[in-house]
């Protein structure tokens, strides 16, 4: 659920994290000066102390603006210190990469588009645009005050470094923001890592136009040569290439370090080569088939109510992963004999409901996203296991406490968890129907949803009644398509004509 209020502890920790990250940012800026001036870094700082103070104050102000923005617009980013560290780590890598490429290659070849591309993939669009704007100002201010013409006299080997001129600084600022924002919008439809290469090629067009048009004033008169324009075009292409290469290198690291659920990682986690999916397919084929159908339902439902369909699909694949512990104890994996006939209802209930808890443990053991673990324990909420409760009632003389035959919860805390709760129960119930007509499917799914609403299973998530109705109708339509009526084949045996 979206964070609406921060506790005092979370506020203090977030402020401390920002302060520590800002100190490390100063270290990164110092390293950039070391790269540019070598052993002359201290004399350069002393000679340009006013500029150093200007850059330091501007950097603090920009970080303060980022904190205020997160505090007002996205408290989730402050509730987890890891998110703050992640943003700053991307900033450190971006600054160092642009400085190194600018020093050894050319200012126009710097991977300026790396930052907007990776923030677009790791965060929501609005955050990515805002952070790109802040990053653009950060690097522009550094280049304007500490990486300009004044640095040439402090370079260890004269002539080995070309400073960032004012016009190049403005050109880079426009490239970062204009091409960067365009890249953020283009990445929305990208489903594969190779697709980012195509984005880089598209971004070359505005990048080269900006560089040539803005820097054209540097090449007036006799200097206005085709070679100069071609040189800018080549370096603009290198900007795009370096950006996408750095993106491909760093993104998987960020996905693992910070458990980021990008579209790329979600697809990898749901492939047949994923470790737990492969185990599920080998050891619990019935559960695997059930999860595949539930994933299809969850994806359609999430799309229908504007939730993340890729995330819903991936979470559905892992919602019953806990059944790997005792696959033969679940109906979809049994042949003809039911092992629960040999057990008491109480023991059967313990085995059945343990799959939610065991699923969460298994997900954490394999270092999969915590969101998957949440879905594993929430998709049955606090619902009773009616089959064994009814069996226990027949064997008892008096009334029984239904909570002893129910899942421990918690109830769903997200819309996707609610979707998977409905999809999971509906798929299992419809599969057991002998007559899967559209009317029967609609009636059964409707009763399942109504029962969960009556038992307050959706009170802890922010799903609306309208969205529940949309999800219900989507599940009905999808299941009617999966279990549609088929024409009966004639009982006719054909043989080869001789």
């Amino acid at each position: 659920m979206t964070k609406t209020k921060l506790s005092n502890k979370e506020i203090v920790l977030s402020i401390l994290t920002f302060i520590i990250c800002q100190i490390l940012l100063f270290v990164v800026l110092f390293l950039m000066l070391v790269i540019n001036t070598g052993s002359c870094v201290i004399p350069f700082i002393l000679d340009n102390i006013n500029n150093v103070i200007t850059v330091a104050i501007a950097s603090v102000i920009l970080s303060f603006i980022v904190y205020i923005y997160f505090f007002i617009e996205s408290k989730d980013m402050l509730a987890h210190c890891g998110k703050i560290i992640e943003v700053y780590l991307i900033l450190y890598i971006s600054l160092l990469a642009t400085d190194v490429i600018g020093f050894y290659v050319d200012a126009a070849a710097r991977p300026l588009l790396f930052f907007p591309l990776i923030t677009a993939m790791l965060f929501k669009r609005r955050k990515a645009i805002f952070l790109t704007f802040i990053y653009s100002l950060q690097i522009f201010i550094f280049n304007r005050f500490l990486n300009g013409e004044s640095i040439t006299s402090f370079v260890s080997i004269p002539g080995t470094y070309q400073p960032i001129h004012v016009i190049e600084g403005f050109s880079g600022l426009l490239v970062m923001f204009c091409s960067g924002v365009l890249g953020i919008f283009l990445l929305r439809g990208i489903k594969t890592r190779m697709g980012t290469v195509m984005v880089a090629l598209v971004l070359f067009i505005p990048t080269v136009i900006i560089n040539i048009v803005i820097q054209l004033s540097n090449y007036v008169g006799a200097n206005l040569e085709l070679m100069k324009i071609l040189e800018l075009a080549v370096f603009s292409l290198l900007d795009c290439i370096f950006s996408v290469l750095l993106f491909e290198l760093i993104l998987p690291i960020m996905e693992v370090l910070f458990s980021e659920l990008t579209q790329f990682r979600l697809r990898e986690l749901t492939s047949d080569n994923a470790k737990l999916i492969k185990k599920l397919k080998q050891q619990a084929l019935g559960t695997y088939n059930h999860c595949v159908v539930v994933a299809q339902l969850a994806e359609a439902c999430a799309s229908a109510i504007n939730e993340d369909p890729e995330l819903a699909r991936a979470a559905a694949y892992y919602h019953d992963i806990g059944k790997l512990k005792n696959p033969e104890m679940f109906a979809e994996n049994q042949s003809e004999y039911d092992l629960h006939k040999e057990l008491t209802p109480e023991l059967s209930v313990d085995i059945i409901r343990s799959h939610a808890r065991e699923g969460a443990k298994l997900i954490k053991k394999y270092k999969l996203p915590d969101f998957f673990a949440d879905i594993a324990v929430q998709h049955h909420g606090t619902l009773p296991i009616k089959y064994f409760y009814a069996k226990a009632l027949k064997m008892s003389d008096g009334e029984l406490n239904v909570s002893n035959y129910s899942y421990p919860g918690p109830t769903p805390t997200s819309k996707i968890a609610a979707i998977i709760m409905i999809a999971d129960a509906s798929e299992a119930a419809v599969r057991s129907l002998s007559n899967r007509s559209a009317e029967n499917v609609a009636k059964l799914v409707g009763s399942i949803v109504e029962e969960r609403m009556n038992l307050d299973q959706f009170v802890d998530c922010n799903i609306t009644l309208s969205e529940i109705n949309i999800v219900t109708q989507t599940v009905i339509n999808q299941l009617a398509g999966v279990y549609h009526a088929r024409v009966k084949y004639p009982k006719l045996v054909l043989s080869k004509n001789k």
Side-chain angles (χ1 to χ4, degrees):
M1 296 177 68
T2 303
K3 195 83 173 177
T4 57
K5 188 176 181 181
L6 294 172
S7 66
N8 291 334
K9 181 180 178 181
E10 288 172 334
I11 293 174
V12 171
L13 284 176
S14 63
I15 292 174
L16 288 175
T17 305
F18 256 84
I19 292 173
I20 294 171
C21 289
Q22 181 60 42
I23 293 172
L24 291 176
L25 180 57
F26 288 145
V27 174
V28 170
L29 295 176
F30 178 77
L31 288 175
M32 292 168 70
L33 287 177
V34 171
I35 292 170
N36 298 337
T37 62
S39 58
C40 299
V41 62
I42 301 302
F44 174 80
I45 291 175
L46 294 175
D47 194 66
N48 296 271
I49 190 64
N50 290 336
N51 287 352
V52 170
I53 293 173
T54 299
V55 171
I57 293 174
S59 180
V60 170
I61 291 173
L62 290 176
S63 291
F64 177 74
I65 292 172
V66 171
Y67 186 89
I68 295 300
Y69 175 82
F70 286 158
F71 190 84
I72 296 173
E73 293 290 332
S74 184
K75 291 181 174 61
D76 290 338
M77 296 290 288
L78 301 179
H80 307 285
C81 294
K83 284 291 183 183
I84 302 172
I85 295 171
E86 184 179 7
V87 170
Y88 272 94
L89 182 57
I90 296 170
L91 178 61
Y92 302 154
I93 295 170
S94 302
L95 289 172
L96 288 172
T98 54
D99 198 63
V100 169
I101 299 297
F103 182 85
Y104 288 104
V105 185
D106 189 86
R110 294 172 297 167
L112 300 174
L113 301 177
F114 163 70
F115 187 90
L117 288 178
I118 197 166
T119 51
M121 188 57 64
L122 296 175
F123 309 117
K124 291 184 178 180
R125 183 189 296 170
R126 184 180 295 181
K127 293 191 192 80
I129 293 174
F130 173 76
L131 290 172
T132 296
F133 174 70
I134 295 296
Y135 166 68
S136 302
L137 291 177
Q138 180 77 63
I139 199 167
F140 174 76
I141 291 169
F142 176 84
N143 289 332
R144 177 68 183 85
F145 290 96
L146 295 178
N147 205 14
E149 287 81 354
S150 61
I151 202 172
T152 53
S153 59
F154 291 91
V155 176
S156 300
I157 305 175
T160 59
Y161 175 66
Q162 295 296 323
I164 308 294
H165 298 286
V166 175
I167 196 71
E168 291 174 327
F170 279 110
S171 178
L173 178 65
L174 286 175
V175 166
M176 279 183 283
F177 192 70
C178 297
S179 297
V181 170
L182 177 60
I184 290 171
F185 280 91
L186 289 176
L187 270 183
R188 183 182 183 185
I190 299 301
K191 302 294 184 182
T192 63
R193 296 188 192 273
M194 186 56 66
T196 58
V197 177
M198 300 305 298
V199 170
L201 293 177
V202 173
L203 293 181
F204 166 71
I205 298 173
T207 300
V208 71
I209 291 174
I210 291 171
N211 278 327
I212 291 175
V213 171
I214 298 298
Q215 298 190 45
L216 203 60
S217 59
N218 277 351
Y219 309 131
V220 294
N223 291 326
L224 185 56
E225 300 174 357
L226 179 61
M227 287 303 297
K228 294 291 185 182
I229 296 177
L230 290 177
E231 183 180 279
L232 278 176
V234 170
F235 286 138
S236 298
L237 180 61
L238 286 177
D239 175 357
C240 298
I241 292 173
F242 286 144
S243 295
V244 77
L245 287 177
L246 197 58
F247 173 87
E248 297 287 0
L249 175 65
I250 300 299
L251 182 62
I253 297 174
M254 305 301 288
E255 288 173 340
V256 174
L257 284 181
F258 299 98
S259 296
E260 287 291 352
L261 294 173
T262 65
Q263 293 181 349
F264 303 152
R265 192 174 184 221
L266 289 174
R267 286 180 172 265
E268 290 166 358
L269 291 176
T270 55
S271 73
D272 286 346
N273 292 324
K275 289 182 179 179
L276 283 179
I277 299 300
K278 185 183 290 185
K279 275 191 172 184
L280 193 66
K281 195 172 183 180
Q282 292 172 346
Q283 301 175 21
L285 186 58
T287 299
Y288 169 79
N289 291 329
H290 163 71
C291 290
V292 169
V293 178
V294 172
Q296 176 185 328
L297 298 176
E299 184 177 16
C301 292
S303 182
I305 63 171
N306 295 318
E307 286 293 301
D308 188 339
E310 296 281 350
L311 180 58
R313 176 176 175 271
Y317 262 91
Y318 288 87
H319 79 283
D320 268 348
I321 205 71
K323 292 181 179 180
L324 277 173
K325 186 172 182 180
N326 294 299
E328 71 282 352
M329 301 304 294
F330 297 89
E332 66 267 23
N333 300 314
Q334 295 173 351
S335 53
E336 295 182 359
Y337 185 72
D338 183 4
L339 296 175
H340 289 283
K341 291 180 179 180
E342 302 174 1
L343 306 177
T344 63
E346 291 74 21
L347 183 55
S348 292
V349 164
D350 285 340
I351 294 171
I352 296 298
R353 65 184 171 190
S354 70
H355 85 272
R357 182 179 65 253
E358 294 298 331
K361 287 181 181 178
L362 202 55
I363 287 167
K364 291 177 180 178
K365 178 182 176 182
Y366 279 78
K367 301 188 186 313
L368 296 174
D370 289 340
F371 185 77
F372 291 1
D374 294 339
I375 297 294
V377 296
Q378 294 173 13
H379 75 279
H380 284 298
T382 55
L383 292 168
I385 305 174
K386 293 189 290 185
Y387 179 84
F388 294 108
Y389 177 61
K391 184 178 178 181
L393 282 175
K394 290 180 181 179
M395 298 172 62
S396 64
D397 296 330
E399 292 186 359
L400 298 174
N401 187 348
V402 69
S403 63
N404 292 333
Y405 298 85
S406 302
Y407 286 95
T411 55
T413 58
S414 67
K415 292 182 182 181
I416 290 178
I419 286 172
I420 293 176
M421 169 181 274
I422 295 171
D424 173 64
S426 298
E427 195 282 331
V430 171
R431 187 187 290 267
S432 67
L433 283 177
S434 56
N435 181 5
R436 296 168 184 166
S437 64
E439 294 77 11
N440 285 348
V441 169
K443 183 177 179 181
L444 182 57
V445 173
S447 66
I448 287 171
V449 174
E450 184 179 359
E451 179 185 48
R452 278 144 185 77
M453 292 180 66
N454 291 337
L455 294 175
D456 295 331
Q457 297 301 296
F458 304 131
V459 295
D460 293 327
C461 62
N462 59 344
I463 192 168
T464 65
L465 183 59
S466 174
E467 289 171 330
I468 291 175
N469 289 334
I470 292 172
V471 169
T472 302
Q473 192 57 52
T474 304
V475 170
I476 291 170
N477 293 339
Q478 290 288 315
L479 286 176
V482 172
Y483 299 118
H484 59 275
R486 295 180 181 271
V487 176
K488 290 186 178 181
Y489 288 95
K491 295 181 179 179
L492 181 64
V493 179
L494 299 176
S495 60
K496 186 177 180 182
N497 294 325
K498 295 184 180 179

